Amino acid sequence: MSQTVVALGAHVFDVQVRPVEGIPEGQGAALVDQIRFGPAGTAAGTALILAKLGAAVRTAGAVGTDPIGDLLLSMLAGHGVDTSLVLRRDDTQTSASVLPIRPDGSRPAFHVLGANIAYGPDDAPHTEIAGATHLHMGAPELMGGEAAAKILARARAAGVVTSADLLVCGDSGLFDWIALALPYLDYLLPNEDQVLGLTGAATLEDGARRFLAEGVGCVAVTRGARGALVVTKDDVIEIPAFAVDVVDTTGCGDAFSAGFLRGLGLGRGLRECGVLGCAAAALVAQGLGSDHGDFDLVTADAFATTAAILECR
């Protein structure tokens, strides 16, 4: 099946440093094993993995006219992503993060919002979106639910499948901020902390159902080492994670989103979509950065059939 995706929203340039166990005091220095940089963000990172998995992908959003923006776009293009819909802003820098990776693969972040928050409905390429099979919105909270709804509603009216992922941490006040966009989402792909934080629910399933009650068609939640939980009106599907040596968790959520969405484009069932998402996340987690791994759909599917399942209680 042919799948054409417009990934719209957050474009981030990441710099990763590992391993980091602490920030040196004063003018101190510390030796590390690796420093790397690459494209990331809930739009750009998801687009990159979708392209690896064989989808035709265009990204839309905003970056600065700075060298960071040049490099970000060139690296996306190198992975087969069409960046011609990305706008360049000369009044703000490209969004960027510095990520000190701990030995266990977790990481805090130093982040500049930059050009990502200067993008709205009037900037969206509505004609190109209407010609795609899928619109994935990365971080609708950056523009707010009302603005995001204007883009999503036009896509839905054109028969385009819609999805979104979130960038910020869960906060109860954010739910109302994005609520107007929820009825126009076929799929929402948050992480566990975001679901529980936004809804205040006691359980993950209850939190997912809060989104369903607002009009979302399906909620696929990543749960780290516990895999994913896919919730619809009629089904609750638990999908385990794969057992791998984790180097860096950066971009694993974006990779899951890409795998899940690619599965949809291939006509797979929700469980199989979740398995492909978990496989993509596991492949990315074994190296540094959102773009880690030289894999394609065949490789990811083979990995999913042979890799050990992570047993978590």
Side-chain angles (χ1 to χ4, degrees):
M1 297 176 64
S2 176
Q3 183 181 32
T4 57
V5 183
V6 174
L8 180 150
H11 287 63
V12 182
F13 186 82
D14 275 357
V15 178
Q16 304 102 7
V17 185
R18 68 173 289 267
V20 177
E21 298 187 70
I23 305 298
E25 295 185 5
Q27 299 294 314
L31 294 177
V32 296
D33 294 338
Q34 192 176 11
I35 297 176
R36 192 176 181 277
F37 54 80
T42 44
T46 302
L48 190 154
I49 303 300
L50 274 166
K52 286 187 179 185
L53 296 176
V57 192
R58 307 180 79 177
T59 61
V63 301
T65 54
D66 49 13
I68 295 178
D70 296 339
L71 189 52
L72 171 58
L73 296 182
S74 69
M75 293 184 77
L76 284 174
H79 286 284
V81 177
D82 181 342
T83 64
S84 60
L85 302 179
V86 178
L87 304 179
R88 305 299 298 266
R89 306 291 200 201
D90 59 11
D91 57 349
T92 186
Q93 77 159 82
T94 299
S95 177
S97 295
V98 176
L99 306 172
I101 313 299
R102 298 187 180 101
D104 67 356
S106 64
R107 77 284 183 274
F110 300 93
H111 183 65
V112 173
L113 289 170
N116 282 330
I117 58 173
Y119 192 88
D122 292 340
D123 299 311
H126 296 286
T127 300
E128 288 79 3
I129 291 170
T133 63
H134 195 112
L135 168 65
H136 179 68
M137 184 173 286
E141 69 274 18
L142 294 181
M143 67 176 75
E146 182 177 2
K150 293 178 181 178
I151 301 172
L152 293 165
R154 289 185 62 168
R156 285 280 291 271
V160 179
V161 177
T162 60
S163 62
D165 191 4
L166 304 174
L167 183 63
V168 302
C169 297
D171 182 285
S172 58
L174 186 63
F175 191 94
D176 291 338
W177 176 244
I178 64 171
L180 290 176
L182 299 178
Y184 303 103
L185 285 174
D186 295 308
Y187 301 91
L188 180 64
L189 302 124
N191 64 42
E192 182 173 20
D193 290 342
Q194 289 166 338
V195 170
L196 295 177
L198 265 65
T199 65
T203 70
L204 192 57
E205 182 180 340
D206 288 344
R209 294 200 179 281
R210 173 79 187 281
F211 287 105
L212 297 180
E214 295 294 327
V216 176
C218 172
V219 182
V221 189
T222 55
R223 305 186 295 171
R226 293 186 295 120
L229 186 75
V230 180
V231 184
T232 68
K233 179 182 177 181
D234 300 317
D235 294 302
V236 178
I237 305 168
E238 293 191 51
I239 301 162
F242 293 100
V244 296
D245 292 327
V246 175
V247 172
D248 175 21
T249 58
T250 302
C252 289
D254 300 331
F256 174 85
S257 294
F260 189 91
L261 300 180
R262 184 66 180 123
L264 292 175
L266 294 167
R268 299 182 182 182
L270 292 178
R271 179 177 295 279
E272 290 70 29
C273 290
V275 169
L276 182 55
C278 286
L283 290 165
V284 168
Q286 295 177 72
L288 202 60
S290 297
D291 59 343
H292 171 76
D294 183 15
F295 60 88
D296 57 14
L297 179 62
V298 173
T299 307
D301 280 339
F303 173 86
T305 61
T306 59
I309 297 299
L310 185 61
E311 299 290 342
C312 289
R313 297 182 184 275

